[in-house]
Amino acid sequence: MLKSGTLITVKREADEKKNAVHHGSRFDVYAEDERGTIYDLEMQNKNHHDIEKRMAIYQGKLENQALYAGQSFSERRQTVILFLCDHDVYNLNQVHYQLSPQLVGHPEILIDNGEPNVIVNLKGDASRQATLNQEMLTYFNDGTVTGKFSAALDRAAREVKNDAKKEENYMTIEEYAARQSAYARKEGREEERMETIKGLVKLNFTKEQIIDFLVQNLNLDQQEASQAYNQAMATA
């Protein structure tokens, strides 16, 4: 997991949604440490299969604060997006995943752009983790306080629950409805796509023919079409 300095600034529900046209972001927890690293901590309790794209949006918002006017690019502050998920995004039973860009054709070369993205799988095997990580995972899974770190988390959680002004920063009903509608449309399209693929299989189309059909008729690229085919076959 990432190592950081002592947190010196913490803001809960930091709102960056200032534009009525473009999609804004509302940070669950915004923090900075003594080294100047900026953090955004997010909770995710359902897999909408868009976490990488969400991370990119949040990184874009943090970038506005990562470099002051007149500074060189080498002085850019590190910005960290940390998602706590109660599901295993990649189904590899790891407690955490760190996403880093690679040089195409040379996966051994990692690109350090100062934007680490970390996904914590709260349902992962904590027994293989350091004591501090075990304590955090235990607390987020069942609320049990087992040490000083989880006690601090519990106090912070209680403060949020008791904050009389928290309603001002929560997602509005309109924002929630729009997001759920978008997810519903996406899930509906995916269900229709699955049925189309299964129907073509029954007509004895080959995998290559089905992928070509998806590319030509459903506006998918080759990779998306192949993934859709594999998903449909896994649930057949």
Side-chain angles (χ1 to χ4, degrees):
M1 275 271 247
L2 294 171
K3 296 180 180 179
S4 66
T6 302
L7 294 180
I8 58 175
T9 300
V10 178
K11 300 178 184 178
R12 301 183 186 89
E13 292 281 354
D15 196 356
E16 292 292 326
K17 189 173 180 61
K18 302 181 185 297
N19 190 304
V21 177
H22 298 107
H23 196 292
S25 57
R26 178 173 286 112
F27 303 137
D28 286 353
V29 177
Y30 171 96
E32 298 179 18
D33 68 21
E34 61 187 2
R35 302 176 183 175
T37 301
I38 306 172
Y39 301 87
D40 167 37
L41 174 64
E42 300 290 324
M43 296 293 296
Q44 184 81 10
N45 59 13
K46 185 176 181 181
N47 191 358
H48 290 298
H49 307 286
D50 61 359
I51 194 168
E52 297 89 353
K53 294 180 176 63
R54 288 188 63 190
M55 284 180 156
I57 293 296
Y58 283 108
Q59 281 285 8
K61 291 298 181 181
L62 290 185
E63 283 179 4
N64 294 331
Q65 304 167 64
L67 192 67
Y68 295 115
Q71 286 186 308
S72 69
F73 290 110
S74 62
E75 296 176 280
R76 182 195 187 281
R77 299 162 70 186
Q78 189 174 53
T79 55
V80 180
I81 305 295
L82 180 64
F83 267 73
L84 302 181
C85 301
D86 67 352
H87 52 275
D88 190 343
V89 174
Y90 299 112
N91 296 315
L92 296 175
N93 197 32
Q94 293 182 203
V95 173
H96 67 270
Y97 303 99
Q98 182 165 345
L99 283 59
S100 299
Q102 300 174 338
L103 184 64
V104 175
H106 299 275
E108 74 282 2
I109 300 179
L110 301 181
I111 309 301
D112 181 13
N113 58 2
E115 299 181 355
N117 293 323
V118 179
I119 300 171
V120 176
N121 171 24
L122 296 176
K123 301 303 182 183
D125 183 4
S127 64
R128 296 181 296 176
Q129 294 299 302
T131 301
L132 187 63
N133 290 344
Q134 291 182 23
E135 186 178 344
M136 180 188 71
L137 292 172
T138 298
Y139 177 77
F140 278 113
N141 273 304
D142 58 27
T144 302
V145 174
T146 58
K148 292 182 179 180
F149 179 67
S150 53
L153 287 175
D154 189 60
R155 285 194 299 271
R158 292 178 186 277
E159 287 178 13
V160 172
K161 291 179 181 179
N162 295 329
D163 185 353
K165 295 182 179 180
K166 63 181 181 297
E167 290 84 0
E168 298 176 5
N169 291 322
Y170 281 172
M171 185 181 296
T172 66
I173 293 175
E174 290 82 3
E175 289 174 322
Y176 178 80
R179 181 170 296 181
Q180 292 305 109
S181 177
Y183 284 135
R185 290 196 301 272
K186 180 175 183 292
E187 291 172 358
R189 289 195 299 271
E190 290 181 348
E191 183 177 352
E192 182 179 353
R193 187 185 302 161
M194 294 300 102
E195 292 303 316
T196 298
I197 294 172
K198 292 175 182 179
L200 293 175
V201 170
K202 290 180 180 179
L203 293 174
N204 296 319
F205 275 56
T206 65
K207 176 180 179 179
E208 290 72 21
Q209 289 174 322
I210 293 175
I211 289 176
D212 184 63
F213 178 90
L214 297 176
V215 170
Q216 297 298 325
N217 296 278
L218 299 185
N219 296 320
L220 302 179
D221 60 31
Q222 285 286 337
Q223 182 177 359
E224 290 172 333
S226 180
Q227 290 175 344
Y229 175 87
N230 292 335
Q231 184 179 352
M233 292 301 95
T235 59

